Amino acid sequence: MRGPAALIAAAVAAGGIVSPAFAGAPPDFPALSRIAAVSGYEQRLSAAIAHQLRGQGLHPRTDNMDDVWVTVGGGAPHRLIVAAVDQPGYVVSAIDSQGYLRVQRLPMRKPNHVFDTLRFAQPVHVVTPKGLLNGGFAGLSIHLTPGHLHPPSMTHVGNLYVDIGANSAARARAAGADILEPVALAQPPVTIGADEEAGASAGDRFGWEALLEAAQGLAHARVRGTTTLAFVTQQWLGGRGLARVLTELPAQEMIFVGRINPLSRGEAGTIAGMRPGDGVAIGTNAPSGAGSLPAELMSVALAHHIAARIVAARLPVLAGFGPRPRLPERLVLLGVPTVFPVTPAETFSRSDLRKLTRLLEDELGETVTPMSAAHDPFDAARAPDPGQPVLDRGRAPDTHLLKTLATMTTAYGASGHEQGARQAILSRLPAWARRLAHVDAAGNLVLHIGQASPGSHQPTILFDAHMDEVGYQVTRIKRDGDLVVRELGGFYGRYYLGHVMLVHLPDGRSVGAVLGLPSGWDRPGFKWPPALHTLREPAEAYVGSDSRAATLRLGIRVGDFLTIPKVYRPLLGSHFEIRSIDDRAGDTALIETVRALGPDFARKHPGRELTFLWATREELGLEGAAAYAARVAGLGREPAVVFAVDMFVSSQSPLETGRYGGQPLGKGFVIRAVDFSHIDSPADVARVVALARENHIAVQYGVTGGGNDSAVYTRYGANAVALGWPTKYSHSPAEQSDTKDVYALSRICTVLARDW
């Protein structure tokens, strides 16, 4: 077991601690904001902040709690301006025999009633001394739900398992995972609307960002008495860092910059009466008459035309064991209003943050730093993550396939909006195939290769994979600017409610959004609706506007679609993780099959006719395939054989029963012999298995849930066989598959095209 000192030393040796800041340079908030600072594990962020302060000519100190502070001036009064740097998260507490990481929440008492629930099936980083391990929290697969007698609730930390793609404890440890390593959501900040920002722990970040930005002028500030700027740790664990600083540095007055806990909350967990864009919140639990610190700060705000409001708030937490230090009598809290606090979609206005920083600079007597929406130091969404290296980057048996897979899975296209996916397919098809492809009336992309000969005994064969992914669609824009949206496809709504989204516009641009939570989510006794309840209920999305006109100015219209932001994430070995593996891996297999067949297929295989169909609206009920099947049947050109290529939902998860769907990742493609919509002929199953083995292709076969496009062809006389590859956590943000299986699938499709 590693001790904390060893963890810090290893992190320093890895060279990742001080990289975000350079001497004399302004803070690099896009880089700093991506440093995971789970309570008790803030060492990297503390070190980066100290390095930044030194670069400004200051002389910071770091104590045994990893608090960082810098003092200027002298004499009385001693004023302490403090911001917490930690965020709630998890720490690895065990590694089970299957390679899953178990976790303990930090803080151990959950911050709100939905905190753990909103982590299920979400991508995460495990922060190791040598770098980051990609992974995801396990979640239930919606396709396997009907087979569950008593499914886990997905509301308790006891059911949270981190899946890094390992298959044993030894493999997980060999990759760098160990007990005591922090775990945080892998979600970079997202710009919401025009000038707001959302993301996990957004409300834990703006305070230290404002204080660090204000510290740039501290060396030349006209401070009265003594002023200390402190960046404290473990605030979520009872204010331990703050207690340490107050013990070391008794102060006569204190300004706490950061998250404000109001005495009463408004809608969506807001500070009562304030929404993002309303300015600075000045929090106090005492009367704010003339001469009080809140009144003084309000006067400064008014004098400099800074929008601000005094609100009733609770004092910063100081809990724990032993005697507690006393808070200064002159005490005020400074913050900005947020919506959906302590969720993965917490949102604040960067305009408010600029105002908060200006107020701090004015109070410190500094030269004001020019800031605007166009020149905003706080735009953490503007840059890619330059942080610690990702360990054990994924491998694939075919680099060309890997490129196609990454292109397809990162393309956006919910059901009925497949144009992005269609363009991605065309971009990866060879030029000769691209010239032959066409789009039919249902939006399907169709490619014919070869021509059946009269009297030929060779079957006409159709390969079918769908292009669409699950998402949402805008059905109405409300007077307050929020969007009313409906689900496209079936999934657990709690994987997306309370998370950031993208509204995709027809011109290819996207606008950041936040999907709201069910009513009462922040109240005691809240219970999630039944698992499939959200399929019948509309949801609302916040896009940072306060009127319908403002939302329209963003370019959003009724009919636009929403998805989550997506990043292709390699896991251990050849595993990978991203939303929309269903059915973009199937699309990939067909693209690579076309490439393998080559432009000379018709000449080499006279009389053999193939059709490749990339279908639309599968998630809405197999609509694109059904339209194609009906059309060609009406023309008397129905295929003799259909190979429907779609994911095989695997129950290889600690949350599933394993009663069916047990085919694992990495062991080959799967013949989807039985599901809710179709049963393959036993003779066809045996024949595919034989062809796979003859060609040394790894093959599996089994029973799973869900349906596939083969169901719409059999009614017209086609002999249908469903093929797939194993995928875990279906229709979630943390879907996982293995590139070896997708490669095996493309190889068997090539064999079937030639030899069936």
Side-chain angles (χ1 to χ4, degrees):
M1 179 184 296
R2 301 188 186 110
L7 285 172
I8 298 170
V12 173
I17 275 187
V18 298
S19 58
F22 301 92
D28 184 355
F29 289 116
L32 291 168
S33 68
R34 287 160 169 81
I35 298 177
V38 174
S39 298
Y41 293 86
E42 307 95 336
Q43 296 85 12
R44 288 189 67 241
L45 183 55
S46 292
I49 288 172
H51 181 69
Q52 176 68 50
L53 294 171
R54 284 192 293 272
Q56 300 302 327
L58 301 170
H59 303 284
R61 291 182 56 190
T62 301
D63 63 22
N64 62 311
M65 299 288 293
D66 296 298
D67 303 310
V68 178
W69 74 80
V70 60
T71 300
V72 295
H78 189 167
R79 176 175 47 175
L80 176 63
I81 306 178
V82 61
V85 302
D86 60 317
Q87 63 193 67
Y90 300 86
V91 64
V92 177
S93 54
I95 303 177
D96 72 15
S97 60
Q98 299 178 73
Y100 295 105
L101 313 184
R102 308 303 303 275
V103 296
Q104 175 60 43
R105 187 195 316 107
L106 293 174
M108 296 184 184
R109 188 173 185 176
K110 58 185 177 182
N112 58 39
H113 303 287
V114 298
F115 185 82
D116 294 325
T117 300
L118 297 182
R119 269 66 185 171
F120 281 87
Q122 302 299 320
V124 300
H125 282 138
V126 181
V127 185
T128 80
K130 294 183 179 179
L132 303 176
L133 281 174
N134 283 336
F137 279 123
L140 290 172
S141 289
I142 193 71
H143 299 81
L144 302 180
T145 297
H148 257 297
L149 186 60
H150 299 293
S153 65
M154 292 197 297
T155 60
H156 192 271
V157 66
N159 287 324
L160 281 173
Y161 294 79
V162 180
D163 187 343
I164 59 174
N167 56 13
S168 68
R171 179 71 182 94
R173 291 182 185 278
D178 201 353
I179 294 171
L180 298 186
E181 286 167 349
V183 177
L185 289 181
Q187 178 195 294
V190 173
T191 295
I192 303 299
D195 194 29
E196 295 186 9
E197 190 163 296
S201 301
D204 300 303
R205 195 177 72 242
F206 70 77
W208 63 258
E209 288 185 336
L211 196 57
L212 188 58
E213 177 70 14
Q216 290 190 84
L218 188 62
H220 307 288
R222 300 185 304 275
V223 298
R224 54 184 175 85
T226 304
T227 296
T228 297
L229 270 56
F231 301 83
V232 299
T233 62
Q234 301 190 36
Q235 188 64 27
W236 278 102
L237 300 178
R240 298 173 187 173
L242 178 57
R244 172 71 181 88
V245 169
L246 287 172
T247 301
E248 178 81 11
L249 303 170
Q252 285 75 53
E253 63 180 51
M254 185 174 89
I255 300 174
F256 186 95
V257 187
R259 184 186 296 282
I260 289 180
N261 189 8
L263 290 179
S264 62
R265 288 196 179 278
E267 184 183 357
T270 58
I271 299 172
M274 296 191 74
R275 303 280 290 184
D278 285 348
V280 179
I282 302 174
T284 179
N285 76 329
S288 52
S292 68
L293 189 52
E296 288 182 9
L297 285 169
M298 191 67 195
S299 296
V300 173
L302 291 172
H304 294 90
H305 309 289
I306 299 170
R309 190 179 307 175
I310 295 177
V311 299
R314 292 177 172 83
L315 295 178
V317 172
L318 280 178
F321 302 94
R324 304 172 190 172
R326 295 184 61 180
L327 290 167
E329 291 186 8
R330 284 174 58 82
L331 169 64
V332 71
L333 298 90
L334 288 182
V336 300
T338 71
V339 289
F340 309 110
V342 204
T343 73
E346 184 166 16
T347 306
F348 65 86
S349 165
R350 289 197 288 256
S351 173
D352 292 342
L353 182 51
R354 294 192 294 270
K355 293 181 177 73
L356 173 60
T357 306
R358 170 72 190 278
L359 182 57
L360 288 171
E361 290 174 335
D362 288 333
E363 179 66 9
L364 288 168
E366 296 180 1
T367 302
V368 173
T369 303
M371 287 183 285
S372 66
H375 302 283
D376 183 5
F378 300 114
D379 185 1
R382 72 178 185 268
D385 183 359
Q388 286 178 289
V390 176
L391 303 178
D392 207 311
R393 284 197 174 274
R395 299 181 294 275
D398 183 280
T399 55
H400 204 283
L401 178 139
L402 187 61
K403 174 64 175 175
T404 300
L405 185 62
T407 299
M408 290 308 307
T409 52
T410 53
Y412 292 100
S415 298
H417 303 271
E418 294 90 350
Q419 55 270 24
R422 191 162 46 237
Q423 290 303 314
I425 292 168
L426 289 169
S427 75
R428 295 303 298 168
L429 283 172
W432 65 267
R434 199 158 50 242
R435 289 191 295 269
L436 297 175
H438 70 277
V439 179
D440 70 9
N444 303 310
L445 184 62
V446 186
L447 172 63
H448 294 295
I449 302 177
Q451 181 68 47
S453 302
S456 171
H457 297 292
Q458 297 192 64
T460 55
I461 298 175
L462 170 71
F463 291 91
D464 173 304
H466 68 86
M467 293 186 286
D468 54 321
E469 62 181 308
V470 298
Y472 291 83
Q473 182 167 317
V474 179
T475 61
R476 183 163 62 92
I477 302 175
K478 298 174 61 180
R479 291 181 62 185
D480 64 4
D482 287 356
L483 313 178
V484 179
V485 300
R486 67 178 180 92
E487 293 186 6
L488 298 174
F491 46 86
Y492 282 107
R494 65 188 70 178
Y495 293 159
Y496 300 97
L497 299 173
H499 292 83
V500 296
M501 304 289 286
L502 296 176
V503 185
H504 299 277
L505 309 184
D507 62 4
R509 294 181 299 120
S510 62
V511 176
V514 168
L515 203 59
L517 282 158
S519 178
W521 67 271
D522 58 339
R523 308 297 181 189
F526 171 77
K527 293 187 181 300
W528 280 93
L532 303 180
H533 179 76
T534 57
L535 297 175
R536 302 183 297 275
E537 295 291 329
E540 293 188 4
Y542 172 74
V543 292
S545 62
D546 58 4
S547 69
R548 186 175 187 274
T551 296
L552 292 173
R553 285 196 295 271
L554 293 172
I556 298 172
R557 299 293 184 270
V558 170
D560 292 340
F561 74 98
L562 295 81
T563 69
I564 62 163
K566 298 188 296 184
V567 176
Y568 182 93
R569 306 180 74 227
L571 304 178
L572 299 188
S574 49
H575 280 31
F576 66 98
E577 172 186 84
I578 188 172
R579 166 69 210 113
S580 77
I581 297 173
D582 169 30
D583 186 23
R584 304 299 174 73
D587 299 332
T588 296
L590 297 197
I591 292 168
E592 295 308 304
T593 297
V594 170
R595 186 181 304 281
L597 295 176
D600 296 331
F601 177 83
R603 180 178 59 80
K604 293 179 179 178
H605 300 272
R608 198 165 186 84
E609 182 176 320
L610 306 176
T611 299
F612 292 85
L613 181 79
W614 289 273
T616 58
R617 305 190 305 280
E618 190 269 353
E619 303 295 357
L620 299 182
L622 320 183
E623 292 181 3
Y628 180 82
R631 182 173 66 82
V632 296
L635 297 173
R637 297 179 56 190
E638 62 272 15
V641 179
V642 173
F643 293 105
V645 180
D646 205 342
M647 73 170 173
F648 180 95
V649 183
S650 173
S651 62
Q652 187 191 14
S653 161
L655 300 182
E656 305 290 359
T657 66
R659 182 172 59 82
Y660 65 112
Q663 284 60 41
L665 278 60
K667 300 297 183 182
F669 80 94
V670 187
I671 304 169
R672 188 171 164 161
V674 178
D675 66 16
F676 296 163
S677 68
H678 175 75
I679 298 177
D680 290 351
S681 160
D684 288 340
V685 172
R687 187 175 176 188
V688 174
V689 170
L691 283 169
R693 290 174 176 168
E694 287 173 13
N695 289 274
H696 308 290
I697 301 171
V699 58
Q700 306 179 79
Y701 45 87
V703 179
T704 190
N708 69 85
D709 277 349
S710 63
V712 303
Y713 295 100
T714 53
R715 70 186 65 181
Y716 299 111
N719 190 31
V721 183
L723 307 174
W725 70 96
T727 296
K728 295 192 280 188
Y729 321 129
S730 66
H731 286 192
S732 84
E735 281 184 353
Q736 289 190 19
S737 292
D738 192 292
T739 58
K740 290 188 298 185
D741 300 333
V742 182
Y743 179 61
L745 179 62
S746 70
R747 289 187 61 209
I748 193 61
C749 287
T750 304
V751 169
L752 295 172
R754 292 169 174 164
D755 300 333
W756 186 264

